[in-house]
């Protein structure tokens, strides 16, 4: 969400500005965090996609090329992680950290 604040400055200053590169880095880092959290839930990745396109979707063509690429790559990575997590849940490979049938220790 902090990246959304940089969008206006990045659009005014141009693609080579510090704000534009900060926006690109922020998109990549926030997507990485969402993908990492996606190993436990589908919500972080879906929320990242929703927020990214809500904040930048209409202005994406106006952003610098490197920021557009970061937005597209982040969307692809988050969508892929969502599909991986759904596959893990459906096939039983996902094991929640907290379970109710924890054996008691003596």
């Amino acid at each position: 969400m902090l990246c959304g604040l940089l969008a206006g400055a990045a659009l005014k200053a141009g693609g080579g500005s510090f704000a534009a590169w900060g926006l690109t880095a922020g998109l990549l880092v926030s997507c990485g965090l969402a993908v990492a959290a996606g190993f436990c839930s589908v919500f972080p990745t879906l929320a990242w996609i929703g927020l990214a396109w809500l904040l930048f979707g209409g202005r994406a063509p106006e952003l610098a090329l490197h920021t557009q690429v970061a937005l597209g790559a982040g969307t692809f990575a988050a969508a892929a992680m969502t599909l991986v997590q759904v596959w893990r849940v459906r096939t039983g490979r996902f094991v929640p950290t907290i379970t109710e049938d924890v054996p008691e220790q003596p």
Side-chain angles (χ1 to χ4, degrees):
M1 299 215 9
L2 284 174
C3 292
L5 299 174
L6 289 174
L11 288 171
K12 290 178 188 173
S17 69
F18 179 74
W21 283 104
L23 178 60
T24 302
L27 283 170
L28 293 175
V29 169
S30 66
C31 180
L33 291 171
V35 167
F39 281 100
C40 297
S41 171
V42 296
F43 177 75
T45 51
L46 293 177
W48 190 91
I49 292 169
L51 282 174
W53 286 101
L54 179 68
L55 292 172
F56 306 110
R59 295 185 290 179
E62 302 170 24
L63 296 171
L65 180 62
H66 51 82
T67 307
Q68 291 178 24
V69 170
L71 185 62
T75 301
F76 177 78
M81 185 63 221
T82 301
L83 293 175
V84 167
Q85 183 61 6
V86 168
W87 171 78
R88 289 177 65 211
V89 169
R90 293 191 84 192
T91 60
R93 288 177 171 83
F94 174 71
V95 179
T97 305
I98 299 173
T99 59
E100 293 183 18
D101 57 333
V102 175
E104 292 187 28
Q105 298 189 5

